Amino acid sequence: MISVIFPVYDEEDNLNRLYQRLDETVSRISDQEFEFIFVDDCSTDESPRILKELRQQDARVRIVRFARNSGSHAAIAYGLNCARGDAAVVLAADLQDPPSLIWGLLDEWQLGSRMVWGVRTKREGEGFFTLVFSKIYYFLLNWLTSVKAPPLGADVFLADRAVIDAFRNVTEKHTSVFLLLAWLGFRQSQIEYVKEKRYAGRSKWRLGQKIKLTVDSLLAFSDIPIRYMSVLGFFTALLGFVYAGYVFWSYVHGSPVEGWSSLMVAILVVGGIQMMMLGVLGEYLWRTYDESRCRPRQIVEYEIG
Ligand code: UDP
Ligand code: MG
């Protein structure tokens, strides 16, 4: 059996069309059974009702509803945890990743890959800021972390049962599910696709959430921010000593350096660096505290099927 997982947040205008295309896609695969897991991330529109209608038509549909909006990564993680298939495919519910991708993903999987990424070669109908933000995100990831896949952004993937079982043991919350899956290892491969325009509605990712995901991803997979604090401190201090030498040298030669502006520059620069480093420490500390409380990633309101 193959599980197909969709994180859903306010997608009332997409769900029926999505179901149609999904049904068409899987009806052409005769050698597998399917289940469709819709993880409703506490939608505020008609999505829950539409999902229940789909469930009445089709027993392959399973529904989970969260009691609070927890983000698409939590929804994907929960979907993986309750998937019953020999493999699970994750797709967005806005039809940006066409369901027909399932064919290509299954083909790669049957060739022996445990993890198959759908890598977008083109992104249609994405705004300028989304593209710029995405570029910065993947540049930072490649530069600062050692997790190399999924290269340049995969939003779609197939995970084998072995990967899903390994993933179930991970309870980390402040992280990117995609990077975590890549980090697990296993034999990985990729197929390419064109990311389509959203069928209806608009993207729900807010800027704050994107920044949080960036910081999460960097802190979870790189120790550079915390390890290089001391290096930065060392060079700042070195600069201070060099400047002190210059001040002394000027004093001996009878033209003492005059004060106010240089003093202000030094105070502001050093103060700024210290604040920034405290901020970095704070990010680590807060994450440690939050993970240690062991609150669940999500609260489930109900499950159907
Ligand atoms: N999503 C979710 N919870 C959220 C935001 C989004 O489950 O808080 C779902 C959304 O319904 C969609 C997928 O995650 O199926 C991708 O979201 P979206 O299309 O808004 O993001 P983008 O395509 O801009 O990355
Ligand atoms: Mg989308």
Side-chain angles (χ1 to χ4, degrees):
M1 192 206 278
I2 306 293
S3 311
V4 190
I5 299 165
F6 301 93
V8 176
Y9 182 53
D10 288 355
E11 305 283 10
E12 57 185 358
D13 297 326
N14 292 319
L15 289 172
N16 282 314
R17 177 87 190 114
L18 173 70
Y19 174 76
Q20 259 174 21
R21 286 188 54 184
L22 185 65
D23 190 41
E24 274 165 36
T25 304
V26 303
S27 66
R28 299 207 211 158
I29 305 171
S30 50
D31 58 342
Q32 291 285 0
E33 280 181 43
F34 283 87
E35 63 172 2
F36 310 136
I37 305 177
F38 291 89
V39 186
D40 173 4
D41 190 9
C42 201
S43 298
T44 52
D45 65 357
E46 289 297 308
S47 301
R49 182 182 58 77
I50 299 171
L51 287 176
K52 282 180 186 162
E53 282 168 13
L54 290 176
R55 162 76 190 172
Q56 272 164 5
Q57 285 171 35
D58 186 342
R60 291 174 298 179
V61 172
R62 294 172 63 193
I63 309 169
V64 180
R65 179 172 162 90
F66 288 176
R68 57 199 297 273
N69 181 248
S70 310
S72 64
H73 285 241
I76 293 171
Y78 194 82
L80 284 173
N81 285 342
C82 62
R84 298 184 189 131
D86 304 312
V89 175
V90 171
L91 298 172
D94 56 359
L95 288 160
Q96 281 199 284
D97 321 313
S100 53
L101 270 168
I102 294 174
W103 297 328
L105 291 169
L106 284 179
D107 285 346
E108 269 305 301
W109 175 60
Q110 273 152 358
L111 290 176
S113 297
R114 299 280 191 170
M115 199 60 218
V116 189
W117 298 101
V119 177
R120 53 202 179 206
T121 49
K122 231 173 105 193
R123 305 173 69 161
E124 285 173 0
E126 297 268 34
F128 175 73
F129 286 107
T130 307
L131 291 179
V132 169
F133 196 90
S134 169
K135 280 247 154 62
I136 297 176
Y137 178 72
Y138 288 105
F139 170 75
L140 284 175
L141 278 186
N142 285 327
W143 183 43
L144 291 175
T145 75
S146 51
V147 184
K148 285 303 171 226
L152 293 180
D155 294 337
V156 181
F157 61 83
L158 175 147
D160 179 80
R161 174 49 53 191
V163 178
I164 300 172
D165 286 342
F167 178 77
R168 288 176 111 125
N169 293 325
V170 182
T171 54
E172 202 176 327
K173 270 179 292 173
H174 301 287
T175 186
S176 150
V177 165
F178 295 85
L179 290 177
L180 206 52
L181 285 163
W183 172 86
L184 287 176
F186 294 98
R187 185 164 154 198
Q188 313 206 2
S189 64
Q190 38 179 286
I191 60 167
E192 293 184 341
Y193 77 103
V194 176
K195 193 166 172 94
E196 291 175 17
K197 255 201 187 112
R198 216 171 206 287
Y199 182 68
R202 53 184 189 78
S203 171
K204 273 72 155 212
W205 278 83
R206 276 162 282 140
L207 182 66
Q209 289 176 313
K210 291 183 181 176
I211 293 175
K212 162 105 183 5
L213 179 69
T214 308
V215 179
D216 278 350
S217 307
L218 293 179
L219 297 193
F221 295 98
S222 166
D223 48 8
I224 287 179
I226 200 156
R227 292 189 61 200
Y228 281 75
M229 276 168 87
S230 40
V231 176
L232 190 62
F234 174 77
F235 281 108
T236 315
L238 197 69
L239 223 67
F241 281 118
V242 171
Y243 189 63
Y246 168 70
V247 170
F248 184 68
W249 186 82
S250 310
Y251 176 74
V252 171
H253 288 78
S255 54
V257 177
E258 288 191 21
W260 203 78
S261 359
S262 50
L263 198 66
M264 277 316 278
V265 169
I267 288 177
L268 289 179
V269 169
V270 174
I273 291 178
Q274 278 175 347
M275 289 283 205
M276 207 168 79
M277 292 299 112
L278 274 179
V280 172
L281 272 185
E283 292 286 342
Y284 280 96
L285 194 66
W286 174 76
R287 277 172 178 71
T288 313
Y289 171 56
D290 196 66
E291 298 283 2
S292 72
R293 287 192 292 212
C294 296
R295 283 188 193 158
R297 271 196 201 114
Q298 72 290 309
I299 310 290
V300 174
E301 187 176 326
Y302 58 76
E303 292 189 30
I304 303 178

